[in-house]
Amino acid sequence: MKQIWNKKLLPGEKWSGNIGRGKYIHFKALGPDANVSMLLYNMRDTSERYNMPDTLKAQYTAHLKKGNILMSDNGRVLASIVEDSLGWHDTLCGYTSRRLTDERYGSTNYQNCRNEWLKSGEENFLVELVRNGMGARDLVPCVNVFSKVYCEYDGSMHYETGHCKEGSTFTLRTEMDIIIILSNTPNPLDKRKTYPSVSVMLEVYDAPAADLQDECVNFRPENYRAFQNTWDYYNLMGL
């Protein structure tokens, strides 16, 4: 595989970029208990974006793993999970806010701390949304890569410390031209009192297109229909 690009995403850092279809996006945790909050949008029409309810109900799950797809609100496949060393990534907990960050780790701001101030997922996402021609109205539930959150029968939700080990990996294959927005900020249910300081390596490679034998295509009948919708979308545009 030919590597196209790489970046180390530092603790608290944000990043967004346009990534065309037919690419692998490889995440590697450089320490334990990493968390990267992620949003996805259709590069050609940002009103189409990752839809958490449709993604979960179509695949009969509350978390993501290898074989799952990330569906848009138009029933298409933005990206597929083709490799995953953990088998569980959080879809329910969302991103941290300024208030939660201040309450848990102590109040900080740029004026007093400069680049050492503790950033929240919400603020990071809002900055990157503006950079991509969007705004607060475009915030949607995110995927928390590397985190495991499970529910008890009483409805309580629990973050599992130690789920992500150093060297854990997660790989997406882009099925559409996407805008990806990332925030290396804590999972909201991570109860540690010290702001996590785990970097994550990002790498992008060329990837072969999915075919009818692909694991993600055949994971469920709903996945197959979503791929058909995606292929029709590009075929009708002559792309």
Side-chain angles (χ1 to χ4, degrees), residues 50-217:
Y50 166 69
N51 186 291
M52 179 265 278
D54 287 354
T55 293
L56 301 186
K57 72 182 181 182
Q59 297 176 97
Y60 289 71
T61 186
H63 62 271
L64 297 175
K65 62 180 181 178
K66 180 181 178 181
N68 286 142
I69 59 175
L70 280 67
M71 293 179 62
S72 79
D73 39 16
N74 286 349
R76 295 191 277 256
V77 188
L78 291 162
S80 304
I81 303 173
V82 297
E83 182 275 330
D84 164 30
S85 68
L86 293 174
W88 192 304
H89 302 269
D90 169 45
T91 60
L92 302 176
C93 291
Y95 39 80
T96 53
S97 65
R98 177 78 265 147
R99 179 176 177 180
L100 184 151
T101 302
D102 288 347
E103 289 176 351
R104 185 167 297 162
Y105 309 111
S107 179
T108 62
N109 56 55
Y110 179 76
Q111 287 72 19
N112 293 328
C113 304
R114 297 305 184 193
N115 290 334
E116 300 304 313
W117 74 294
L118 305 180
K119 303 174 184 67
S120 73
E122 182 178 20
E123 291 164 317
N124 279 351
F125 280 153
L126 288 173
V127 170
E128 295 303 317
L129 284 167
V130 170
R131 286 176 175 169
N132 288 278
M134 294 179 278
R137 63 181 294 177
D138 299 292
L139 272 172
V140 295
C142 65
V143 175
N144 285 312
V145 178
F146 298 126
S147 286
K148 179 176 182 178
V149 174
Y150 61 93
C151 298
E152 297 286 6
Y153 286 106
D154 63 3
S156 60
M157 300 171 67
H158 301 272
Y159 171 85
E160 185 170 303
T161 302
H163 172 66
C164 173
K165 308 294 192 298
E166 181 176 357
S168 296
T169 57
F170 174 85
T171 305
L172 292 175
R173 181 183 59 215
T174 57
E175 312 297 350
M176 297 180 67
D177 301 322
I178 63 168
I179 299 171
I180 184 170
I181 301 180
L182 303 174
S183 177
N184 186 2
T185 42
N187 187 289
L189 291 190
D190 186 342
K191 299 298 185 184
R192 287 177 292 174
K193 298 301 183 182
T194 302
Y195 192 86
S197 57
V198 179
S199 296
V200 173
M201 180 59 70
L202 305 173
E203 298 171 329
V204 175
Y205 298 86
D206 283 323
D211 58 29
L212 294 178
Q213 305 305 314
D214 187 84
E215 178 180 358
C216 297
V217 174

Side-chain angles (χ1 to χ4, degrees), residues 28-41:
K28 183 177 181 180
L30 301 182
D33 292 320
N35 182 80
V36 176
S37 299
M38 176 176 68
L39 301 174
L40 299 178
Y41 300 80

